[in-house]
Amino acid sequence: MTYNFTEEYDIIVIGAGHAGVEASLAASRMGCKVLLATINIEMLAFMPCNPSIGGSAKGIVVREVDALGGEMAKNIDKTYIQMKMLNTGKGPAVRALRAQADKELYSKEMRKTVENQENLTLRQTMIDEILVEDDKVVGVRTATHQEYATKAVIVTTGTALRGEIIIGDLKYSSGPNHSLASINLADNLKELGLEIGRFKTGTPPRVKASSINYDVTEIQPGDEAPNHFSYTSRDEDYVKDQVPCWLTYTNGTSHEIIQNNLHRAPMFTGVVKGVGPRYCPSIEDKIVRFADKERHQLFLEPEGRNTEEVYVQGLSTSLPEDVQRELVHSIKGLENAEMMRTGYAIEYDMVLPHQLRATLETKKISGLFTAGQTNGTSGYEEAAGQGIIAGINAALKIQGKPELILKRSDGYIGVMIDDLVTKGTIEPYRLLTSRAEYRLILRHDNADMRLTEMGREIGLVDDERWARFEIKQNQFDNEMKRLDSIKLKPVKETNAKVEEMGFKPLTDAVTAKEFLRRPEVSYQDVVAFIGPAAEDLDDKIIELIETEIKYEGYISKAMDQVAKMKRMEEKRIPANIDWDDIDSIATEARQKFKLINPETIGQASRISGVNPADISILMVYLEGKNRSISKTLQKSK
């Protein structure tokens, strides 16, 4: 077929949400000529739902994006109005940072970054069709009939694919925040042979700050101690003048209003067809599913310093507007609240993720990648994590370099992508700490230790940042060696000091490292005995040292599991394997293998419905095939 290509790009990214921005920045920084196409430039890196970044598991993803050389962490560190470390009373594996964003400023700052990025062109245009020849991407066609040549396309359309907004019995075509929906591209993806699902998500009403009675709500301030998402941010730049959030609750009257109007709720009348998120249900869904609960938490979250809009976190709904108003006014502190925006549900098409490789390239079409909510996830952070991986791998592919696949032991991003491509998802996927079997080694405090070297190797970590990382790594290594080399002996003078500090006396000689392993002993307690390190260590390194030492036994066990799984991941499965040729595997396993087409034994072992016996049979089959090939090669010689 003949095309009239007017422009040519290495990579074209469709959609400028959180996935699209990270994908386009990564690929352009790796030297590719990139076009970032968006329906509406004003919605670049927009937050159509909650005005925040981070949270449980998600905050660790943001740090991983930063460690790889992405932008989300830097951008939120420039635009937050509140910063808070969550789960500080729990173990280090579940601690995570969360920031309230100045929503408008976040988008503006990210747009500035995109517009000033070398090799990256930002354009407002709707792409209707991906052009494919011989199962390989060759270009795109816009709604204005322009054709652009490209070697790779990354689809990051969020909730815009055949999007429909639902409020009560009202349903109309729309993308997020009442933007244009992408209809033709949704049709095109089906025509290309991709299996498409239909999901649903939603958002709560927004109310006017000056109409809220904050006196009857509970203040939720940010942290005084400095914390940042990006490893490049400085403590001296930490915002002291933070904006608080506020806590209130639903009540019996609120629940009665919802119960009395379930016959008008799209969730229960059949208007909503898409599958909604289990871990972020609408308020009407909560009331029905948890009928025994007397109240539900609602957080009043300011959307920025220069706006009156306040996001009512926890009140996501698609009830009719009059019911939403009555519901809002039933809540303590919101009795006279002015509703500035109505909550709504949105249904959208998505690509069933079992059709993807771990690089986020589709198995069916070479050069076609998808990321973000297009793959069935929920959340800005999950989108950014996929976006940077898709951008990196698209760039590596056209540059003829080895692909980057994050393992489950490398990061939460690896957990998420493996879950998607191996298990698929039947509802909007949300990252949780419980999804990560190696969560003790996937912490918020060590993302740079895990991933900065990878970012450096692919060209996304510059010299200045690498030099800073090496200093930190050396300081950590040197102090760990020092603590392991100095011994505390159970002599009278030492034990007198130990007892004076309230600790049990020593009975045997121990290293400073072993002494620090005691739950009640802090790093500063150890320093009182052995003196400070040769270099001044900041609080973040000290926290890292304490965690690594106190949890060393658990971390060691986790690393043993990682090594075992690595051996499984190194056992490749041929792409052309005939699953029907393998005798004795269970019917369900055979069906799942055909659907997923796992690339390694490790991935095959994680498929739902596949048993250890099926894996054993598969390994025996592959070993037999390898022996047969070896004999054939020897005979040919």
Side-chain angles (χ1 to χ4, degrees):
M1 187 173 179
T2 303
Y3 299 110
N4 182 28
F5 291 129
T6 56
E7 296 178 37
E8 184 175 350
Y9 297 90
D10 293 321
I11 298 168
I12 294 177
V13 180
I14 305 175
H18 303 280
V21 162
E22 294 294 348
S24 58
L25 287 171
S28 58
R29 288 167 176 171
M30 292 171 68
C32 295
K33 184 182 178 183
V34 180
L35 172 67
L36 175 57
T38 176
I39 292 173
N40 185 348
I41 284 182
E42 274 69 39
M43 287 187 65
L44 185 145
F46 185 69
M47 296 179 172
C49 201
N50 56 310
S52 67
I53 295 292
S56 182
K58 293 166 176 278
I60 301 174
V61 170
V62 180
R63 289 205 140 194
E64 290 175 354
V65 169
D66 183 67
L68 286 168
E71 197 64 31
M72 177 174 268
K74 292 178 183 177
N75 205 62
I76 188 61
D77 281 354
K78 288 188 278 186
T79 59
Y80 67 91
I81 58 176
Q82 186 193 107
M83 190 75 74
K84 196 176 187 71
M85 183 65 77
L86 305 181
N87 302 324
T88 53
K90 299 180 180 178
V94 295
R95 291 175 199 156
L97 205 54
R98 186 177 189 270
Q100 290 297 135
D102 188 312
K103 194 178 220 174
E104 183 181 6
L105 187 58
Y106 184 94
S107 179
K108 284 183 176 179
E109 283 296 320
M110 191 67 89
R111 178 173 173 178
K112 191 187 299 182
T113 299
V114 167
E115 289 180 340
N116 288 289
Q117 177 59 49
E118 188 180 355
N119 299 323
L120 179 54
T121 300
L122 174 64
R123 182 168 301 159
Q124 181 167 295
T125 185
M126 182 180 286
I127 292 179
D128 279 354
E129 188 177 353
I130 299 166
L131 306 175
V132 174
E133 284 189 355
D134 299 322
D135 294 329
K136 184 178 180 180
V137 166
V138 296
V140 301
R141 184 178 291 122
T142 73
T144 55
H145 308 296
Q146 297 298 297
E147 293 176 343
Y148 306 142
T150 189
K151 302 181 185 78
V153 167
I154 307 174
V155 180
T156 62
T157 44
T159 60
L161 279 182
R162 209 189 304 278
E164 290 182 303
I165 280 182
I166 304 165
I167 305 170
D169 58 3
L170 179 66
K171 188 173 187 177
Y172 57 93
S173 177
S174 176
N177 201 41
H178 305 279
S179 60
L180 286 175
S182 178
I183 308 298
N184 292 338
L185 182 60
D187 291 336
N188 175 237
L189 291 173
K190 280 187 178 180
E191 290 166 3
L192 291 174
L194 295 176
E195 291 183 59
I196 304 298
R198 188 81 172 161
F199 279 179
K200 169 245 144 188
T201 187
T203 191
R206 275 67 157 178
V207 297
K208 192 173 184 178
S210 57
S211 67
I212 298 172
N213 179 12
Y214 288 110
D215 292 339
V216 295
T217 63
E218 302 170 31
I219 192 168
Q220 305 288 302
D223 292 339
E224 292 184 10
N227 254 315
H228 317 280
F229 276 103
S230 177
Y231 289 96
T232 63
S233 297
R234 305 179 306 171
D235 283 355
E236 51 264 42
D237 296 329
Y238 187 66
V239 175
K240 299 293 185 183
D241 178 25
Q242 297 191 15
V243 180
C245 296
W246 306 82
L247 175 64
T248 186
Y249 300 87
T250 61
N251 52 57
T253 303
S254 315
H255 299 187
E256 187 178 349
I257 291 168
I258 293 170
Q259 290 283 2
N260 291 342
N261 287 279
L262 288 178
H263 65 287
R264 302 179 66 194
M267 284 288 298
F268 301 98
T269 60
V271 175
V272 171
K273 305 293 185 185
V275 181
R278 182 186 313 185
Y279 300 102
C280 188
S282 65
I283 188 64
E284 50 267 41
D285 197 20
K286 286 182 194 174
I287 299 308
V288 171
R289 285 167 55 190
F290 309 109
D292 58 317
K293 284 193 173 287
E294 294 182 359
R295 64 181 189 173
H296 294 275
Q297 285 186 333
L298 301 174
F299 289 93
L300 307 178
E301 302 179 348
E303 297 218 330
R305 290 186 184 275
N306 301 307
T307 178
E308 282 274 296
E309 276 194 272
V310 174
Y311 181 91
V312 188
Q313 170 74 35
L315 205 68
S316 176
T317 182
S318 57
L319 284 163
E321 188 171 339
D322 61 305
V323 180
Q324 290 191 37
R325 190 173 290 107
E326 185 183 2
L327 175 60
V328 166
H329 290 161
S330 73
I331 294 162
K332 200 171 184 179
L334 305 182
E335 293 89 349
N336 299 304
E338 182 181 325
M339 207 161 73
M340 296 181 70
R341 298 194 199 213
T342 309
Y344 62 83
I346 184 168
E347 289 186 340
Y348 55 97
D349 284 357
M350 45 76 66
V351 175
L352 295 174
H354 69 266
Q355 302 168 95
L356 307 175
R357 297 186 60 243
T359 59
L360 296 181
E361 183 180 23
T362 60
K363 297 171 183 173
K364 189 175 185 64
I365 299 167
S366 177
L368 177 58
F369 295 75
T370 60
Q373 282 182 284
T374 306
N375 290 343
T377 56
S378 64
Y380 313 139
E381 305 83 1
E382 287 95 334
Q386 292 172 73
I388 193 169
I389 295 300
I392 288 169
N393 279 309
L396 292 173
K397 181 181 179 71
I398 66 175
Q399 292 169 350
K401 296 177 180 177
E403 60 200 15
L404 175 70
I405 294 177
L406 291 189
K407 300 186 293 296
R408 297 181 73 88
S409 55
D410 289 329
Y412 273 91
I413 297 174
V415 171
M416 168 178 58
I417 293 175
D418 185 67
D419 279 351
L420 291 171
V421 304
T422 302
K423 302 172 184 175
T425 184
I426 58 173
E427 62 190 22
Y429 175 97
R430 180 179 180 179
L431 261 175
L432 305 166
T433 53
S434 59
R435 295 190 190 274
E437 61 270 46
Y438 308 121
R439 54 187 170 273
L440 193 52
I441 58 176
L442 306 180
R443 306 186 310 273
H444 82 98
D445 62 351
N446 69 355
D448 57 339
M449 301 289 199
R450 290 184 276 119
L451 297 174
T452 301
E453 190 171 347
M454 291 186 193
R456 177 68 172 177
E457 288 174 0
I458 58 180
L460 290 180
V461 172
D462 61 26
D463 291 344
E464 181 184 351
R465 179 163 185 179
W466 181 247
R468 289 175 59 180
F469 170 73
E470 285 191 310
I471 290 172
K472 177 182 176 180
Q473 183 72 64
N474 288 335
Q475 287 179 338
F476 172 81
D477 291 342
N478 290 339
E479 186 61 357
M480 290 289 277
K481 289 175 184 174
R482 186 175 84 100
L483 293 171
D484 204 24
S485 65
I486 299 177
K487 284 201 171 184
L488 302 180
K489 297 178 180 179
V491 296
K492 185 177 180 180
E493 183 182 344
T494 300
N495 270 337
K497 194 171 182 180
V498 168
E499 292 185 76
E500 185 183 324
M501 296 171 75
F503 306 139
K504 290 181 180 179
L506 302 174
T507 55
D508 297 299
V510 296
T511 64
K513 182 178 177 181
E514 289 168 330
F515 187 54
L516 180 53
R517 200 171 291 144
R518 290 186 178 189
E520 70 276 12
V521 176
S522 72
Y523 173 82
Q524 296 304 335
D525 292 330
V526 174
V527 167
F529 286 97
I530 68 173
E535 300 176 85
D536 287 336
L537 304 181
D538 65 32
D539 291 342
K540 302 296 187 297
I541 295 181
I542 291 171
E543 178 190 356
L544 185 62
I545 289 168
E546 282 195 345
T547 300
E548 289 287 333
I549 290 175
K550 289 185 181 297
Y551 292 87
E552 187 176 42
Y554 298 104
I555 292 171
S556 179
K557 286 180 181 178
M559 294 308 295
D560 288 342
Q561 293 174 341
V562 169
K564 183 179 178 182
M565 184 52 66
K566 184 181 178 183
R567 292 192 291 272
M568 300 276 278
E569 296 296 347
E570 288 171 351
K571 294 176 180 176
R572 307 288 300 179
I573 299 173
N576 60 349
I577 187 172
D578 182 358
W579 296 108
D580 289 323
D581 190 40
I582 308 175
D583 295 327
S584 303
I585 60 171
T587 301
E588 183 181 4
R590 193 186 311 276
Q591 291 171 345
K592 292 291 181 70
F593 286 152
K594 286 180 177 180
L595 179 69
I596 305 295
N597 266 316
E599 298 184 47
T600 68
I601 293 294
Q603 185 185 2
S605 70
R606 294 190 295 274
I607 296 175
S608 177
V610 173
N611 297 313
D614 300 314
I615 297 300
S616 297
I617 293 166
L618 174 58
M619 291 176 69
V620 169
Y621 171 82
L622 292 176
E623 286 169 8
K625 280 285 184 182
N626 289 336
R627 283 197 297 269
S628 177
I629 292 170
S630 296
K631 287 180 181 178
T632 303
L633 289 174
Q634 286 174 356
K635 287 180 180 178
S636 65
K637 290 179 181 178

